[in-house]
Amino acid sequence: MKKQIKLGWSLIVLITTSYGFAQEQGTIEFISNELSSVINKDAKVEKIVDGCQFTEGPLWIEKEKMLLFSDVPANTIYKWTEAKGKEVYLKPSGYTASESRGGFMGSNGLYLSKKGELLIAQHGDRRVARMDAPLNAPQTKYVTVAGEYDGKKLNSPNDLVISDKGDLYFTDPMYGFEGGMNDPKKQISFQGVYKMDKQGKVTLQDDAIPQPNGLAIFPDKKTMIVASTDGADKGWFLYDIDKDGNLKNKRVFYNVAQEKGMGGCDGLKIDKSGNVYATGPDGVWIFNKNAKLIGRIKFSRLSVANLAFSPDEKTMYITATNNVFRLKMK
């Protein structure tokens, strides 16, 4: 028995437990011995959450010892703790209007500011928002941080990161539109990578990626990586960050357009050594800072969307289709 649900860029096939879908745990492929410096050879991927619709945006909150993550179609942010497992944290999380709708309407990327504020990429409300409540007493009260470019409403912000200088960078693909690229509510003709400075000015950094997705800043503070979900440039691009915080000198980091595996290039993270952990076809692709592929965490029947680390970088949390996994790396 199969049930097909249109989810964003791909057609996810949800198969019942009897077909083995819900049992997949993920396997670690050591392509280079370099991977052994960050992941033990005997490390195991374990499932800690299931039963969601499409999981995204994991964020570990060390102070509260909890993992937050988005269930995008469910319009919900869940929290997970070792003691209680999965609980609703915020609902609605990304679409707050009264008009009924479906699709990818909820929150996606989550980010914790240096002030301890939860920032949320909200697909349905088409903005980057801040939760106006303490982390340990969440409320569905949101303040718009970035909602427009050049007087036009954004598409559906997807992922975000803040530089040490305080500049907010975010990607704005079209996955939050119920009608896709031809949705009549779409006001911007392209999908962009943006910067918002500390004064609140939003500037376009790149409009040439068909569907920009995950992004992160390298430890050198001078380089950014952005994921391109699909198409001929499916993979990851690098940019230099100039003295004004603008992205320059775009170039290919790694291209996977010829890979036929499950899933596109979505969320990513960079560790303190500059290693890149990027979701892509059939799982998580792990590169050193020089774009050498050193390993993969493979999920052949799940679409892996994003990942997060604990502060000590010894534990990784992975969102994949309707599940969340944990990998104790060291």
XYZ file of all heavy atoms in Angstrom, residues 56-129:
581
model
N 12.074 19.169 9.173
C 13.049 20.151 8.685
C 13.602 20.965 9.856
O 13.125 20.879 10.980
C 12.377 21.103 7.692
C 12.749 20.886 6.226
C 14.133 21.410 5.891
O 14.886 21.757 6.821
O 14.468 21.478 4.700
N 14.624 21.788 9.542
C 15.103 22.836 10.426
C 15.513 22.438 11.831
O 15.197 23.167 12.778
N 16.231 21.339 12.058
C 16.582 20.969 13.429
C 17.505 21.997 14.075
O 18.373 22.571 13.428
C 17.289 19.617 13.255
C 17.864 19.671 11.869
C 16.855 20.442 11.064
N 17.294 22.208 15.368
C 18.086 23.178 16.130
C 18.202 22.679 17.560
O 17.195 22.530 18.254
C 17.409 24.553 16.110
C 18.032 25.646 16.986
C 19.420 26.025 16.485
C 17.117 26.872 17.032
N 19.432 22.421 18.002
C 19.647 21.978 19.368
C 19.775 23.190 20.280
O 20.560 24.095 20.030
C 20.897 21.107 19.486
C 21.165 20.677 20.903
C 22.079 21.193 21.769
C 20.476 19.656 21.627
N 21.997 20.556 22.987
C 21.024 19.611 22.932
C 19.428 18.776 21.299
C 20.570 18.710 23.904
C 18.981 17.884 22.267
C 19.551 17.863 23.550
N 18.983 23.222 21.349
C 19.025 24.292 22.346
C 19.696 23.741 23.592
O 19.088 23.020 24.381
C 17.617 24.823 22.684
C 16.853 25.218 21.411
C 17.714 25.987 23.666
C 17.417 26.402 20.690
N 20.974 24.055 23.777
C 21.756 23.449 24.849
C 21.216 23.816 26.233
O 21.147 22.961 27.123
C 23.220 23.884 24.718
C 24.141 23.332 25.796
C 24.327 21.828 25.726
O 23.997 21.216 24.684
O 24.786 21.253 26.736
N 20.833 25.068 26.411
C 20.370 25.510 27.727
C 19.158 24.732 28.207
O 19.007 24.442 29.404
C 20.043 27.001 27.685
C 19.663 27.593 29.029
C 19.415 29.094 28.925
C 19.031 29.685 30.270
N 18.785 31.148 30.174
N 18.289 24.361 27.270
C 17.067 23.628 27.615
C 17.196 22.125 27.366
O 16.252 21.379 27.628
C 15.892 24.172 26.794
C 15.645 25.657 26.949
C 15.240 26.050 28.352
O 14.593 25.220 29.038
O 15.561 27.183 28.776
N 18.348 21.712 26.851
C 18.583 20.297 26.529
C 17.452 19.744 25.656
O 16.908 18.666 25.901
C 18.721 19.453 27.800
C 19.856 19.874 28.717
C 21.212 19.698 28.050
C 22.355 20.094 28.982
N 23.671 20.030 28.321
N 17.110 20.498 24.620
C 16.022 20.071 23.739
C 16.384 20.310 22.279
O 17.174 21.210 21.958
C 14.729 20.818 24.067
C 14.736 22.312 23.767
S 13.147 23.096 24.193
C 13.519 24.822 23.834
N 15.818 19.485 21.436
C 15.924 19.657 19.995
C 14.610 20.225 19.495
O 13.541 19.679 19.778
C 16.194 18.314 19.308
C 16.307 18.376 17.784
C 17.649 18.975 17.381
C 16.121 16.995 17.164
N 14.683 21.326 18.756
C 13.522 21.850 18.054
C 13.618 21.451 16.589
O 14.709 21.413 16.016
C 13.453 23.371 18.169
C 13.365 23.970 19.570
C 13.283 25.490 19.485
C 12.192 23.411 20.348
N 12.482 21.156 15.978
C 12.476 20.892 14.543
C 11.093 21.194 13.982
O 10.083 21.162 14.697
C 12.892 19.446 14.230
C 11.957 18.390 14.745
C 10.932 17.879 13.950
C 12.092 17.892 16.028
C 10.069 16.908 14.425
C 11.240 16.906 16.521
C 10.225 16.413 15.717
N 11.062 21.523 12.696
C 9.820 21.865 12.005
C 9.198 20.627 11.373
O 9.902 19.771 10.837
C 10.092 22.894 10.898
O 10.618 24.095 11.416
N 7.876 20.545 11.440
C 7.112 19.651 10.574
C 6.356 20.583 9.643
O 5.345 21.183 10.018
C 6.164 18.771 11.389
C 5.505 17.683 10.547
O 5.506 17.813 9.306
O 4.983 16.717 11.125
N 6.875 20.735 8.434
C 6.445 21.848 7.581
C 4.965 21.752 7.175
O 4.210 22.701 7.381
C 7.362 21.987 6.348
C 7.036 23.277 5.595
C 8.827 21.971 6.743
N 4.493 20.628 6.614
C 3.065 20.580 6.246
C 2.132 20.636 7.450
O 0.989 21.083 7.324
C 2.945 19.227 5.523
C 4.322 18.845 5.147
C 5.210 19.418 6.215
N 2.607 20.184 8.609
C 1.787 20.194 9.815
C 1.728 21.556 10.489
O 1.017 21.727 11.490
C 2.307 19.146 10.808
N 2.518 22.538 9.982
C 2.517 23.892 10.525
C 2.854 23.871 12.020
O 2.228 24.581 12.821
C 1.154 24.552 10.277
C 1.190 26.075 10.361
O 2.256 26.685 10.333
N 0.020 26.686 10.475
N 3.855 23.064 12.360
C 4.179 22.826 13.762
C 5.685 22.789 13.977
O 6.423 22.234 13.152
C 3.590 21.476 14.228
O 2.174 21.488 14.037
C 3.886 21.205 15.688
N 6.150 23.383 15.068
C 7.489 23.132 15.573
C 7.344 22.193 16.764
O 6.560 22.454 17.683
C 8.205 24.423 16.012
C 8.490 25.318 14.799
C 9.530 24.101 16.724
C 9.067 26.676 15.156
N 8.068 21.092 16.710
C 8.099 20.149 17.821
C 9.381 20.343 18.622
O 10.385 20.851 18.111
C 8.069 18.705 17.315
C 6.736 18.262 16.761
C 6.542 18.160 15.390
C 5.683 17.942 17.607
C 5.319 17.744 14.866
C 4.459 17.517 17.096
C 4.283 17.425 15.724
O 3.084 17.017 15.220
N 9.328 19.916 19.864
C 10.557 19.779 20.633
C 10.721 18.312 20.995
O 9.747 17.574 21.157
C 10.555 20.658 21.878
C 9.710 20.159 23.038
C 9.948 21.020 24.280
C 9.141 20.508 25.474
N 9.391 21.307 26.697
N 11.970 17.901 21.100
C 12.291 16.538 21.525
C 13.272 16.617 22.681
O 14.255 17.374 22.626
C 12.910 15.737 20.384
C 13.351 14.358 20.808
C 12.618 13.209 20.787
C 14.633 13.989 21.332
N 13.346 12.155 21.264
C 14.588 12.611 21.619
C 15.806 14.698 21.590
C 15.686 11.921 22.140
C 16.894 14.020 22.124
C 16.833 12.649 22.389
N 12.987 15.864 23.736
C 13.910 15.725 24.853
C 14.101 14.244 25.146
O 13.243 13.417 24.831
C 13.388 16.425 26.120
O 12.121 15.851 26.502
C 13.221 17.923 25.895
N 15.219 13.935 25.752
C 15.504 12.542 26.101
C 14.435 12.000 27.047
O 14.053 10.828 26.958
C 16.880 12.451 26.759
C 17.428 11.045 26.891
C 17.984 10.486 25.586
O 18.891 11.104 25.018
O 17.483 9.430 25.147
N 13.941 12.853 27.933
C 12.995 12.388 28.954
C 11.591 12.172 28.413
O 10.920 11.194 28.765
C 12.965 13.396 30.104
N 11.130 13.074 27.530
C 9.719 13.038 27.126
C 9.496 12.751 25.656
O 8.350 12.615 25.224
C 9.042 14.359 27.513
C 8.975 14.599 29.016
C 8.191 15.864 29.327
C 8.058 16.083 30.821
N 7.282 17.315 31.141
N 10.551 12.682 24.871
C 10.368 12.446 23.448
C 9.788 13.658 22.741
O 10.081 14.799 23.084
N 8.910 13.426 21.763
C 8.360 14.494 20.924
C 7.149 15.147 21.583
O 6.233 14.470 22.027
C 7.945 13.925 19.565
C 7.374 14.942 18.592
C 6.958 14.295 17.284
C 5.660 13.530 17.424
N 5.134 13.029 16.133
N 7.163 16.493 21.611
C 6.037 17.276 22.112
C 5.844 18.488 21.225
O 6.802 19.001 20.630
C 6.303 17.768 23.542
C 6.562 16.696 24.579
C 6.943 17.316 25.916
O 8.150 17.579 26.124
O 6.027 17.553 26.721
N 4.618 18.982 21.109
C 4.361 20.208 20.358
C 5.002 21.388 21.089
O 4.828 21.557 22.295
C 2.848 20.450 20.185
C 2.596 21.829 19.570
C 2.225 19.369 19.311
N 5.744 22.190 20.346
C 6.386 23.389 20.893
C 5.652 24.639 20.441
O 5.343 25.509 21.263
C 7.842 23.408 20.445
C 8.669 24.553 20.999
C 9.140 24.522 22.305
C 9.002 25.646 20.207
C 9.912 25.561 22.819
C 9.781 26.681 20.700
C 10.236 26.638 22.013
O 11.001 27.661 22.511
N 5.380 24.752 19.133
C 4.640 25.894 18.582
C 3.711 25.423 17.467
O 4.134 24.683 16.576
C 5.593 26.934 17.995
C 6.373 27.855 18.926
C 7.358 28.677 18.115
C 5.446 28.761 19.714
N 2.484 25.839 17.515
C 1.520 25.572 16.438
C 0.451 26.657 16.483
O -0.181 26.815 17.523
C 0.886 24.200 16.609
C -0.069 23.809 15.468
C -0.636 22.413 15.678
C -1.621 22.044 14.590
N -0.969 21.862 13.272
N 0.268 27.435 15.420
C 0.940 27.369 14.122
C 2.362 27.931 14.183
O 2.639 28.834 14.964
C 0.056 28.238 13.237
C -0.528 29.260 14.181
C -0.761 28.502 15.466
N 3.200 27.386 13.327
C 4.610 27.774 13.359
C 5.038 28.638 12.185
O 6.042 29.337 12.269
C 5.485 26.524 13.389
O 5.359 25.794 12.170
N 4.272 28.580 11.075
C 4.721 29.311 9.888
C 3.615 29.944 9.077
O 3.873 30.778 8.215
N 2.369 29.547 9.345
C 1.222 30.130 8.644
C 0.173 30.481 9.682
O -0.366 29.609 10.361
C 0.648 29.155 7.615
C -0.559 29.684 6.878
C -0.459 30.791 6.044
C -1.811 29.073 7.031
C -1.565 31.278 5.366
C -2.920 29.553 6.351
C -2.797 30.653 5.521
O -3.892 31.142 4.859
N -0.096 31.774 9.831
C -0.965 32.233 10.906
C -2.271 32.837 10.418
O -3.092 33.258 11.241
C -0.224 33.262 11.781
O 0.178 34.380 10.963
C 1.007 32.651 12.430
N -2.495 32.886 9.109
C -3.744 33.445 8.586
C -4.903 32.481 8.836
O -4.708 31.296 9.089
C -3.603 33.742 7.099
N -6.111 32.997 8.742
C -7.304 32.177 9.019
C -7.765 31.379 7.810
O -8.474 30.378 7.956
C -8.446 33.078 9.502
O -8.746 34.077 8.540
N -7.383 31.788 6.617
C -7.806 31.085 5.398
C -7.167 29.701 5.333
O -5.961 29.545 5.474
C -7.402 31.894 4.160
C -7.811 31.262 2.839
C -7.334 32.074 1.643
O -6.824 33.195 1.867
O -7.456 31.587 0.512
N -7.985 28.693 5.115
C -7.497 27.319 5.073
C -6.614 27.098 3.846
O -6.903 27.600 2.753
C -8.676 26.345 5.043
O -8.221 25.017 4.970
N -5.530 26.367 4.047
C -4.640 26.043 2.934
C -3.843 24.787 3.265
O -3.820 24.319 4.406
C -3.691 27.187 2.606
C -2.750 27.596 3.725
C -1.460 28.220 3.192
N -0.642 27.235 2.489
C 0.517 27.516 1.897
N 0.983 28.742 1.905
N 1.223 26.566 1.298
N -3.178 24.237 2.272
C -2.346 23.060 2.475
C -0.935 23.311 1.989
O -0.489 24.451 1.893
N -0.224 22.233 1.670
C 1.134 22.354 1.172
C 2.143 22.648 2.265
O 1.895 22.439 3.454
N 3.288 23.163 1.850
C 4.381 23.467 2.774
C 4.148 24.843 3.401
O 4.765 25.826 3.027
C 5.705 23.447 2.019
C 6.413 22.126 2.050
C 5.723 20.943 2.219
C 7.788 22.060 1.937
C 6.372 19.733 2.259
C 8.461 20.853 1.974
C 7.748 19.686 2.136
N 3.259 24.896 4.377
C 2.842 26.186 4.923
C 3.514 26.549 6.236
O 3.433 27.683 6.692
C 1.327 26.193 5.142
C 0.836 25.134 6.102
S -0.951 25.231 6.306
C -1.280 23.599 6.998
N 4.186 25.608 6.880
C 4.708 25.848 8.219
C 6.084 26.473 8.245
O 6.562 27.060 7.275
N 6.723 26.338 9.385
C 8.098 26.816 9.541
C 9.048 25.879 8.825
O 8.739 24.707 8.565
C 8.457 26.878 11.023
O 8.310 25.598 11.623
N 10.228 26.393 8.506
C 11.286 25.563 7.940
C 12.530 25.760 8.796
O 12.620 25.238 9.884
C 11.502 25.899 6.466
C 12.290 24.838 5.731
O 13.354 24.416 6.173
N 11.784 24.386 4.597
N 13.490 26.549 8.326
C 14.718 26.745 9.082
C 14.506 27.471 10.394
O 13.692 28.385 10.494
N 15.268 27.061 11.415
C 15.234 27.674 12.738
C 16.642 28.121 13.094
O 17.618 27.449 12.755
C 14.723 26.683 13.789
C 13.398 25.968 13.490
C 13.093 24.948 14.578
C 12.263 26.973 13.361
N 16.752 29.240 13.821
C 18.068 29.768 14.162
C 17.999 30.453 15.522
O 17.037 31.174 15.818
C 18.532 30.772 13.096
C 19.982 31.162 13.202
C 20.972 30.396 12.589
C 20.360 32.285 13.922
C 22.306 30.753 12.687
C 21.705 32.641 14.024
C 22.669 31.866 13.405
O 23.991 32.218 13.508
N 19.013 30.240 16.340
C 19.084 30.867 17.654
C 20.062 32.030 17.593
O 21.245 31.849 17.309
C 19.532 29.851 18.704
C 19.494 30.331 20.164
C 18.061 30.600 20.605
C 20.159 29.305 21.073
N 19.572 33.241 17.842
C 20.430 34.420 17.798
C 21.329 34.467 19.028
O 21.120 33.746 20.006
C 19.576 35.689 17.739
O 19.014 35.967 19.018
N 22.327 35.350 18.986
C 23.216 35.503 20.134
C 22.479 36.035 21.360
O 22.938 35.866 22.489
C 24.379 36.429 19.769
C 25.380 35.789 18.816
C 26.573 36.697 18.581
C 27.611 36.016 17.701
N 28.795 36.881 17.457
N 21.338 36.656 21.131
C 20.511 37.147 22.233
C 19.622 36.045 22.813
O 18.867 36.306 23.753
C 19.644 38.307 21.756
C 20.416 39.548 21.335
C 19.447 40.630 20.881
C 20.183 41.883 20.432
N 19.228 42.936 19.975
N 19.701 34.862 22.236
C 18.861 33.766 22.708
C 17.448 33.809 22.161
O 16.538 33.198 22.731
N 17.249 34.492 21.031
C 15.928 34.595 20.412
C 15.796 33.554 19.304
O 16.735 33.288 18.553
C 15.730 35.987 19.823
C 15.800 37.100 20.855
C 15.866 38.475 20.225
O 16.469 38.610 19.136
O 15.314 39.415 20.828
N 14.604 32.979 19.200
C 14.337 32.001 18.160
C 13.875 32.710 16.893
O 12.844 33.385 16.886
C 13.265 31.008 18.617
C 12.892 29.916 17.598
C 14.097 29.024 17.301
C 11.707 29.099 18.096
N 14.664 32.568 15.813
C 14.294 33.094 14.506
C 13.762 31.948 13.663
O 14.293 30.831 13.697
C 15.484 33.751 13.822
C 16.144 34.917 14.571
C 17.270 35.508 13.739
C 15.128 35.991 14.926
N 12.722 32.236 12.880
C 11.995 31.196 12.160
C 11.801 31.612 10.709
O 11.309 32.719 10.439
C 10.614 30.952 12.811
C 10.751 30.648 14.306
C 9.874 29.824 12.106
C 9.428 30.653 15.046
N 12.156 30.731 9.780
C 11.821 30.927 8.369
C 10.413 30.389 8.171
O 10.182 29.188 8.234
C 12.820 30.204 7.475
N 9.472 31.295 7.946
C 8.061 30.923 7.872
C 7.605 30.883 6.413
O 7.524 31.916 5.753
C 7.208 31.910 8.667
C 7.489 31.880 10.165
C 6.552 32.774 10.956
O 6.259 33.903 10.551
N 6.077 32.275 12.082
N 7.293 29.675 5.937
C 6.852 29.532 4.553
C 5.511 30.227 4.311
O 5.369 31.037 3.397
C 6.705 28.046 4.208
C 7.970 27.401 3.749
N 9.133 28.098 3.514
C 8.261 26.103 3.472
C 10.080 27.262 3.102
N 9.566 26.045 3.072
N 4.499 29.876 5.107
C 3.153 30.376 4.843
C 3.019 31.878 4.998
O 2.355 32.536 4.189
N 3.645 32.442 6.022
C 3.593 33.889 6.235
C 4.638 34.638 5.421
O 4.689 35.876 5.458
C 3.754 34.216 7.718
C 2.489 33.922 8.520
O 1.446 33.624 7.902
O 2.548 33.979 9.765
N 5.513 33.897 4.741
C 6.460 34.449 3.762
C 7.394 35.484 4.387
O 7.570 36.586 3.866
C 5.695 35.023 2.563
C 4.858 33.968 1.865
C 3.834 34.535 0.928
N 4.435 35.265 -0.180
C 3.728 35.914 -1.094
N 2.410 35.932 -1.025
N 4.336 36.563 -2.079
N 8.019 35.090 5.476
C 8.890 36.024 6.178
C 9.879 35.274 7.055
O 9.708 34.094 7.357
C 8.051 36.947 7.064
C 7.288 36.198 8.159
C 6.442 37.127 9.015
N 5.669 36.367 9.998
C 4.892 36.916 10.932
N 4.782 38.237 11.010
N 4.221 36.159 11.785
N 10.906 35.968 7.479
C 11.718 35.549 8.615
C 11.125 36.259 9.824
O 10.954 37.484 9.816
C 13.195 35.941 8.435
C 13.992 35.594 9.688
C 13.793 35.260 7.209
N 10.790 35.483 10.850
C 10.125 36.043 12.017
C 10.899 35.698 13.280
O 11.706 34.772 13.305
C 8.696 35.518 12.118
